[in-house]
Amino acid sequence: MNFIEKQRDENSPYTQLLMLIGYIIAGLFAFSIIALAIIVAMYGLGSLTDPTILSGGEEKYRPALQILLAATSIGMFLAPPLFLALTERRKINVFYGFKKPEPNLLLIVLLIMIVSMPIMEWTAMINQKMVLPDYLKWIETWMREKEDQAMQTTLLLLKMKHISELVVNLLLIALLPGIAEELMFRGAVQRSFLRIFKNPHVAIWASAFLFSAIHLQFYGFLPRFLLGAGFGYIYYWSGNLWYSMLAHFLNNAYAVCVAWYMQKNNIPLSEADNTSHFAWYGYLISFILTIFVFQFFKNKTSKTYEQQLD
């Protein structure tokens, strides 16, 4: 007789998405409570009713903002996909495709991020110039207000005077989101979408749309949408989440390092998204090279995401 227990089938992708939503709600609640407890220990009970502290409106309260940001990343993006894998009784490394990365593929991912920088800069500038029709001006006004609020928070987080602050931002803005958001959007969401749509392109672009939309930064939607799709194809072709995590980390780390460089050279951070550094043919060359290197990566990967699911 065969006494080996057969591994049960996974829940449907629809059930998995519902479970993710439930875990997100629970994760946000639990880690927000933890974050608030830490903030109260640091600033006293008055911090719960002081909007200046909870919003990080002043530089001296920036640690509170960093704690809330870390709690959001963990509760909303990191914990839910981990609990999903545990619920499905699957090993996390198998469920999401964590394998020992190959050095040559890591280098290709680095090359992708380098050659795509100019074209991503161009899409960011195009997005910044977005203007809605007159009958939608009220929406545009609301989006601008939200964008300004997000910019104030970002500028506060990116104020760095010492190397220790650079290291903290690399951990908080580059490493943690690179791991957590890739687990959520490429590992969990894209994986479920692929099972639903049976079409990798639809799954990749749909999860990229959610990835960009959830940030609620409308004037950065396009470049983040394209980045999400790029991360999605890297994951789909390789079947290994380490590569998309590396790409995500490199993108965010570059932004943090640019902010560090600008401050060291007394350049206003507000100029970062509105300055063109290349001639038109530079953007064209970047686009062509990006497509070429993506194709090169695809050809070099030995297993596809579909094979990973078999």
Side-chain angles (χ1 to χ4, degrees):
M1 294 179 64
N2 185 3
F3 292 99
I4 300 177
E5 182 180 356
K6 183 179 179 181
Q7 189 178 47
R8 69 176 181 83
D9 293 335
E10 289 185 30
N11 286 299
S12 75
Y14 301 100
T15 301
Q16 289 183 344
L17 290 175
L18 287 174
M19 286 193 294
L20 275 177
I21 294 172
Y23 288 141
I24 289 171
I25 295 172
L28 279 175
F29 177 78
F31 283 93
S32 294
I33 294 297
I34 294 172
L36 290 175
I38 297 173
I39 292 171
V40 167
M42 294 173 61
Y43 299 104
L45 284 173
S47 59
L48 296 178
T49 57
D50 189 343
T52 304
I53 296 177
L54 294 181
S55 65
E58 297 181 15
E59 189 170 350
K60 63 180 178 179
Y61 298 132
R62 182 170 54 183
L65 181 61
Q66 292 172 326
I67 291 168
L68 287 172
L69 182 61
T72 300
S73 291
I74 296 171
M76 189 173 186
F77 300 127
L78 181 62
L82 295 180
F83 277 107
L84 177 64
L86 293 175
T87 303
E88 294 290 354
R89 299 179 184 178
R90 300 292 197 273
K91 292 182 178 180
I92 293 171
N93 62 323
V94 176
F95 196 67
Y96 292 121
F98 285 105
K99 292 184 177 181
K100 183 179 179 180
E102 300 178 22
N104 64 321
L105 293 180
L106 293 174
L107 289 174
I108 298 173
V109 170
L110 173 61
L111 185 60
I112 288 173
M113 300 311 296
I114 291 174
V115 301
S116 65
M117 283 179 184
I119 191 63
M120 295 310 300
E121 175 189 286
W122 181 79
T123 60
M125 290 190 298
I126 292 297
N127 204 160
Q128 287 289 328
K129 297 175 181 177
M130 179 179 63
V131 177
L132 298 182
D134 290 338
Y135 63 89
L136 294 177
K137 282 298 180 183
W138 63 277
I139 296 180
E140 183 175 342
T141 300
W142 175 75
M143 290 194 302
R144 283 291 181 188
E145 290 175 354
K146 288 294 183 181
E147 196 73 14
D148 291 342
Q149 292 172 7
M151 179 59 69
Q152 290 177 0
T153 301
T154 301
L155 292 178
L156 180 60
L157 285 170
L158 290 176
K159 283 185 179 179
M160 297 171 282
K161 299 177 182 178
H162 308 288
I163 192 69
S164 59
E165 293 173 315
L166 171 62
V167 173
V168 169
N169 274 341
L170 285 174
L171 294 174
L172 186 65
I173 300 175
L175 183 61
L176 179 57
I179 294 173
E181 292 180 12
E182 288 309 298
L183 259 175
M184 171 59 77
F185 292 102
R186 255 56 67 182
V189 175
Q190 182 174 306
R191 187 180 188 278
S192 293
F193 279 175
L194 183 58
R195 295 177 64 204
I196 292 172
F197 298 116
K198 311 298 183 183
N199 184 312
H201 305 293
V202 174
I204 288 168
W205 288 96
S207 56
F209 179 87
L210 287 179
F211 165 70
S212 187
I214 205 166
H215 285 81
L216 293 177
Q217 290 179 284
F218 308 100
Y219 292 89
F221 179 88
L222 179 58
R224 189 174 287 110
F225 178 46
L226 295 176
L227 278 171
F231 300 156
Y233 280 107
I234 288 173
Y235 179 41
Y236 174 73
W237 289 329
S238 66
N240 192 333
L241 204 54
W242 286 124
Y243 299 123
S244 63
M245 284 182 172
L246 173 63
H248 197 143
F249 167 78
L250 290 173
N251 177 76
N252 291 19
Y254 172 74
V256 172
C257 291
V258 167
W260 169 263
Y261 171 84
M262 293 177 71
Q263 290 173 87
K264 285 298 181 181
N265 290 273
N266 298 315
I267 304 172
L269 291 178
S270 57
E271 294 184 6
D273 292 332
N274 300 312
T275 304
S276 176
H277 298 96
F278 300 91
W280 67 268
Y281 52 83
Y283 298 121
L284 179 60
I285 293 172
S286 172
F287 175 74
I288 295 171
L289 287 177
T290 300
I291 298 299
F292 174 80
V293 181
F294 261 113
Q295 186 63 42
F296 185 63
F297 179 84
K298 178 183 178 182
N299 294 338
K300 283 291 184 180
T301 50
S302 57
K303 290 186 178 181
T304 66
Y305 187 39
E306 287 176 323
Q307 291 172 318
Q308 195 73 22
L309 292 176
D310 290 340

